[in-house]
Amino acid sequence: MTSDPRSPRLLGAIDSATSENASRHWWDTEADEYHEEHGSFIGNTTPGGEFVWGPERFREDDARLLGDVADRDVLEIGCGSAPCSRWLTSQGARAIGLDVSIGMLSHAVTAMAQDPEPVPLVRAGAEHLPFADESFDIVCSSFGAVPFVADSARLMAEAARVLRPGGRWVFSTNHPMRWMFLDDPGPDGLVVQMSYFSRTPYSETDSDGSVTYVEHHRTIGDRVREIVTAGLILEDIVEPEWPDDLDAEWGQWSPLRGGYFPGTAIFCCRRPRA
Ligand SMILES: C[S@@+](CC[C@H](N)C(=O)[O-])C[C@H]1O[C@@H](n2cnc3c(N)ncnc32)[C@H](O)[C@@H]1O
């Protein structure tokens, strides 16, 4: 009998609390190294920040997926050191950055010292947003919490809840087809290793068996379903192509792989008007 693909079996499931704890500790520990390696690419050192949607260097300044942000209330989920929220603020938005890791947020505090206006920051997990219903015109996330939470359907419902009618929820994450390949920027990263349909999370553990890092996979169908179930309209899935003039590798991301398949998917959703 063929199983229903809309009810995937979750082998080795890792629950929400375990995933959030692992992410908090991992990003707290890695925050300095992450910024040494990627700080300038993500715009952490740029006055006024920068909004980059992913390793293909697709910028909100060019893409305008969020629409007009001036004078809008904007929540960024998984803001890290908040280069995107800082950029939104420089464009006239009232932005708030939320992240689970104090280590990442402390880099935001340092970076903001050079800006005319600071961004309010909130430390919280993305599955329970500490905001009233209909607080924001726009909710966004650039490779923020989405791949790290166990219950991304709940995250979608939370984004829908805090959005005002007509508001946008736009988030970038690993393109689901990346799941099939090793995190290797070279030729070994072109060979299928893993079933696209396996929702067993990728995890790392320490010597005690505690989970120290976790990433959760959803197929394109899963994502569409969780967005629609949250009562949102999916308007577009943008798949930025690797630019000809971009030589920089970023971990598993490289011009070699970028020439063959997408690395990033940007889901553009909207809460219906009333
Ligand atoms: C790859 S970093 C991206 C940071 C930032 N958006 C950027 O572009 O540099 C992922 C961020 O998601 C945050 N994160 C992971 N799990 C989270 C959760 N459950 N709730 C909120 N933030 C989370 C991490 O702390 C980290 O700052």
Side-chain angles (χ1 to χ4, degrees):
M1 194 173 79
T2 311
S3 62
D4 183 343
R6 291 163 301 177
S7 308
R9 275 200 320 142
L10 282 171
L11 297 174
I14 298 176
D15 66 22
S16 291
T18 308
S19 299
E20 191 176 300
N21 273 335
S23 291
R24 188 171 59 242
H25 289 300
W26 198 86
W27 288 99
D28 280 351
T29 308
E30 296 295 318
D32 290 350
E33 202 176 315
Y34 179 81
H35 285 91
E36 257 164 51
E37 210 176 332
H38 304 302
S40 103
F41 185 100
I42 61 174
N44 175 255
T45 50
T46 312
E50 214 171 319
F51 197 133
V52 183
W53 283 108
E56 299 83 5
R57 236 179 218 152
F58 194 59
R59 290 185 165 88
E60 178 57 13
D61 205 7
D62 304 315
R64 298 287 166 182
L65 302 179
L66 302 177
D68 190 2
V69 300
D71 216 26
R72 302 287 199 278
D73 293 307
V74 185
L75 172 65
E76 184 191 1
I77 298 178
C79 66
S81 58
C84 303
S85 287
R86 290 172 52 224
W87 181 84
L88 289 162
T89 302
S90 77
Q91 304 296 303
R94 290 180 295 276
I96 295 180
L98 174 143
D99 201 281
V100 79
S101 159
I102 207 75
M104 294 296 276
L105 291 174
S106 66
H107 278 268
V109 173
T110 308
M112 278 190 294
Q114 61 186 317
D115 297 342
E117 216 183 318
V119 177
L121 301 171
V122 175
R123 179 177 169 236
E127 288 180 49
H128 299 89
L129 299 176
F131 301 101
D133 297 357
E134 303 187 5
S135 297
F136 297 98
D137 303 300
I138 298 167
V139 181
C140 60
S141 182
S142 174
F143 275 84
V146 174
F148 303 110
V149 297
D151 190 353
S152 48
R154 183 179 170 100
L155 198 171
M156 301 299 147
E158 280 290 89
R161 179 183 67 75
V162 301
L163 267 182
R164 298 184 179 123
R168 295 182 200 216
W169 162 222
V170 183
F171 65 94
S172 64
T173 188
N174 296 321
H175 196 289
M177 70 169 296
R178 281 269 161 158
W179 189 248
M180 295 186 286
F181 303 94
L182 287 181
D183 279 358
D184 186 325
D188 287 350
L190 298 174
V191 182
V192 170
Q193 299 281 345
M194 165 78 81
S195 165
Y196 171 79
F197 300 108
S198 168
R199 277 78 159 192
T200 302
Y202 169 79
S203 65
E204 295 171 9
T205 50
D206 64 15
S207 51
D208 302 336
S210 304
V211 179
T212 53
Y213 182 86
V214 59
E215 258 183 70
H216 297 270
H217 168 61
R218 296 291 178 270
T219 65
I220 282 278
D222 295 339
R223 282 272 178 255
V224 172
R225 229 166 282 123
E226 60 191 21
I227 288 165
V228 172
T229 302
L232 297 162
I233 297 163
L234 178 62
E235 295 187 325
D236 200 358
I237 303 173
V238 178
E239 298 164 297
E241 294 190 26
W242 196 274
D244 292 338
D245 60 351
L246 181 58
D247 304 328
E249 285 190 3
W250 171 330
Q252 58 157 306
W253 316 88
S254 65
L256 174 71
R257 298 201 332 154
Y260 287 105
F261 50 85
T264 300
I266 312 173
F267 293 81
C268 305
C269 318
R270 190 186 284 276
R271 180 170 163 174
R273 290 180 195 283

